[in-house]
Amino acid sequence: MSNIHPSAIVDKNAKLHETVQVGPFCIVGPNVEIGANTVLFSHVVVDGHTTIGENNKFFQGCSIGAPPQDNSYKGEPTRTVIGNNNTFREYCSIHRGTLKENQITKIGDNCLFMAYVHAGHDVVVGNNCTIANSTNFAGHVKIGDRVIIGGGTQIQQFVSLGRGAYIGGASALDRDIPSFCTAMGNRAHLKGINIIGMKRQGYSKQEISEVVDFLRTIESSNLSPRSFVENAELMAEYKDNRVVIEMVDQIKKSEIGIAPFNP
């Protein structure tokens, strides 16, 4: 293929669409499949059982599908799956899954991973996310759609971020963040609602106002968030708000609890 640089090493068993561009000194392993118009600029390594969709860009130094940093991993054929229209800037690393969960690390569509972002084993990232420089996801982290994470943020194992969440830079997260919440700090505390994000997604002023009031009421309550949302009387006025319903479900299902409010 004329669009593979002579210095690149592409295994004969790899499946690359004819429009894929592979730049100098890239390495592509035998169990890799790459879709149309994806570009590996230079010094990119794609390994393992990795499937990459269309129109992705991988800048120099990226490592995709490498073995997980987990002592339990014994070379099993776990997977890395990346969707379409994503950009991975310099030195991003995405590790394959383990047998501990669904055996897959998965990245959605239309995401921007800035330089030096790391996604560990079994991480799942949704669509339209923006992850700023030097952010690290430990194993089993789950990120919803349209999440924005500031640079230098560190996220502990098994933490979940609901869709539309906004995380300030240099934060350290060890608890879940519900949908459309903003958080920051080390350790991160909830700061409020991502009002701009809700507006951009077409929610009405009334819906946004109800979500803001819901979070403020939980914060001022003497009850824990879980106890609050399990109280039918307290929740009655929010029963028709679709974002509140989503947040309530996340609070109830959280195994590590949600981040605390401002200290």
Side-chain angles (χ1 to χ4, degrees):
M1 294 172 65
S2 61
N3 46 354
I4 296 179
H5 193 275
S7 66
I9 301 174
V10 178
D11 192 279
K12 64 180 181 180
N13 293 314
K15 298 178 181 178
L16 277 60
H17 189 275
E18 61 183 10
T19 58
V20 171
Q21 298 180 45
V22 181
F25 304 106
C26 293
I27 300 175
V28 179
N31 298 305
V32 172
E33 183 173 349
I34 304 178
N37 299 309
T38 287
V39 181
L40 282 58
F41 283 102
S42 73
H43 298 84
V44 175
V45 177
V46 187
D47 194 14
H49 290 76
T50 297
T51 301
I52 297 172
E54 300 180 353
N55 301 308
N56 294 286
K57 295 179 180 180
F58 296 88
F59 284 75
Q60 55 266 33
C62 287
S63 175
I64 309 300
Q69 298 175 124
D70 188 300
N71 288 330
S72 71
Y73 182 74
K74 305 301 180 185
E76 298 87 358
T78 53
R79 302 174 60 206
T80 307
V81 175
I82 294 173
N84 305 316
N85 306 307
N86 298 291
T87 297
F88 297 85
R89 292 304 304 257
E90 297 80 0
Y91 301 101
C92 287
S93 56
I94 313 295
H95 287 180
R96 69 186 77 152
T98 67
L99 299 182
K100 291 182 176 179
E101 200 170 344
N102 296 319
Q103 305 182 33
I104 186 171
T105 299
K106 186 174 183 180
I107 310 298
D109 303 330
N110 306 305
C111 295
L112 170 59
F113 287 69
M114 299 185 194
Y116 293 95
V117 171
H118 170 69
H121 59 85
D122 305 289
V123 164
V124 176
V125 178
N127 304 318
N128 302 291
C129 294
T130 300
I131 318 298
N133 304 65
S134 300
T135 292
N136 291 312
F137 301 150
H140 309 282
V141 167
K142 303 294 183 285
I143 309 295
D145 295 344
R146 298 185 182 277
V147 170
I148 298 175
I149 301 177
T153 294
Q154 313 299 311
I155 305 180
Q156 182 177 294
Q157 297 93 329
F158 298 102
V159 167
S160 294
L161 277 61
R163 68 186 182 99
Y166 183 96
I167 310 300
S171 294
L173 280 64
D174 60 357
R175 295 291 185 272
D176 294 342
I177 308 297
S179 293
F180 291 106
C181 286
T182 62
M184 66 179 299
N186 183 0
R187 301 295 200 218
H189 287 73
L190 296 176
K191 299 294 184 181
I193 294 298
N194 182 9
I195 294 173
I196 294 175
M198 292 192 69
K199 287 180 178 179
R200 287 175 176 171
Q201 294 191 47
Y203 290 98
S204 68
K205 290 183 178 180
Q206 180 178 344
E207 287 177 303
I208 296 171
S209 178
E210 289 173 351
V211 173
V212 171
D213 181 70
F214 169 71
L215 196 67
R216 287 176 176 172
T217 304
I218 290 182
E219 181 179 9
S220 62
S221 172
N222 292 325
L223 298 173
S224 69
R226 186 183 297 272
S227 295
F228 185 95
V229 300
E230 289 177 345
N231 187 308
E233 183 177 349
L234 294 173
M235 291 300 303
E237 63 180 295
Y238 306 110
K239 63 182 178 62
D240 296 323
N241 188 293
R242 49 186 167 161
V243 175
V244 170
I245 292 171
E246 184 176 327
M247 295 169 71
V248 167
D249 184 63
Q250 292 164 347
I251 293 170
K252 288 181 177 180
K253 290 181 178 179
S254 176
E255 296 183 1
I256 60 176
I258 67 169
F261 291 92
N262 286 325

